[in-house]
Amino acid sequence: KQVEKQKGIIMYMDEAVFYVSGTKSKTWALRGKGTTVLSKASRKSKKVFGAITVEDNPHFHFRFAEVFNGKTFLKFLKGIERQWKKKIHIIMDNAKYHFSPIVKEWVSKKKKKVTLHPLPSHSPEFNAQEGVWRITRRKMTHNKFFESEENLHSALFRQFNRFQGNPPYLRGVIEPFR
């Protein structure tokens, strides 16, 4: 509520990991036929930072990262900050690296432009970005297997570009947060 009173862009931010082995999900099939999803044991994955604005035409921002830490999070924040002229209110979870010394130092220098708002612990239902991840998994990784990290990366990149090129597609995700 306090964020709503302040002028600027409201943005929900989160990170996700997508695995080469995909995700299993219930699906329909002809009775007695079933479905087969190829897979093999693999820990290979792609890590992604994502943020979505809460406005009529939501803007989606993303950045792939090798690891989640203060340095990679700061790169993501700097990329977002460069794209907006208005003040940005970023609502996010309480991952330790969100409040690392380098992030705190940068945010303190950018007080007039960027404010970080932590959500209560263990409350993904309060984060609109979780809905974007849910759609991505349903469309791109449920019941799918990727031969390589590059194939997974390409599929995710295409989906994220679709989100950016068609903002109304994400209106349903952000509607409860408006």
Side-chain angles (χ1 to χ4, degrees):
K1 302 263 183 204
Q2 182 182 4
V3 173
E4 292 173 13
K5 294 176 186 175
Q6 300 173 6
K7 293 187 178 189
I9 299 295
I10 298 173
M11 186 177 288
Y12 287 84
M13 180 269 153
D14 194 33
E15 50 280 313
V17 179
F18 296 91
Y19 292 93
V20 170
S21 57
T23 51
K24 294 178 186 173
S25 177
K26 290 182 180 180
T27 187
W28 69 275
L30 293 173
R31 189 173 288 194
K33 295 271 183 174
T35 60
T36 303
V37 178
L38 297 175
S39 85
K40 59 184 174 186
S42 176
R43 291 186 180 184
K44 294 180 180 177
S45 63
K46 284 292 173 186
K47 294 174 173 64
V48 187
F49 289 104
I52 186 167
T53 62
V54 182
E55 52 191 3
D56 288 339
N57 285 317
H59 290 82
F60 174 65
H61 301 268
F62 70 96
R63 182 181 185 93
F64 288 96
E66 289 297 316
V67 295
F68 293 136
N69 61 28
K71 188 176 178 181
T72 57
F73 178 57
L74 184 55
K75 282 183 181 178
F76 180 64
L77 287 178
K78 286 179 177 180
I80 289 173
E81 187 261 340
R82 279 192 298 269
Q83 292 184 3
W84 293 95
K85 292 185 178 169
K86 296 180 181 178
K87 173 137 178 134
I88 308 163
H89 298 276
I90 299 176
I91 302 168
M92 60 191 187
D93 62 20
N94 288 296
K96 279 187 176 184
Y97 56 83
H98 291 168
F99 306 98
S100 66
I102 62 170
V103 172
K104 283 182 177 180
E105 180 183 340
W106 183 81
V107 170
S108 71
K109 292 176 183 174
K110 298 285 185 175
K111 280 182 186 174
K112 292 183 179 182
K113 185 82 186 279
V114 178
T115 304
L116 303 181
H117 302 273
L119 286 167
S121 295
H122 310 290
S123 56
E125 67 277 8
F126 297 141
N127 192 332
Q129 182 58 38
E130 294 284 355
V132 177
W133 298 144
R134 196 170 20 264
I135 290 171
T136 303
R137 285 189 172 90
R138 187 173 10 132
K139 296 267 184 199
M140 300 310 301
T141 65
H142 278 348
N143 300 327
K144 292 191 177 114
F145 169 71
F146 299 91
E147 287 290 331
S148 66
E149 284 181 73
E150 293 78 23
N151 291 352
L152 173 61
H153 181 91
S154 295
L156 292 171
F157 193 82
R158 274 192 316 275
Q159 184 63 45
F160 297 154
N161 277 334
R162 283 186 200 121
F163 291 157
Q164 290 177 328
N166 188 8
Y169 185 77
L170 294 173
R171 280 187 193 147
V173 171
I174 58 128
E175 194 56 40
F177 298 89
R178 298 190 73 213

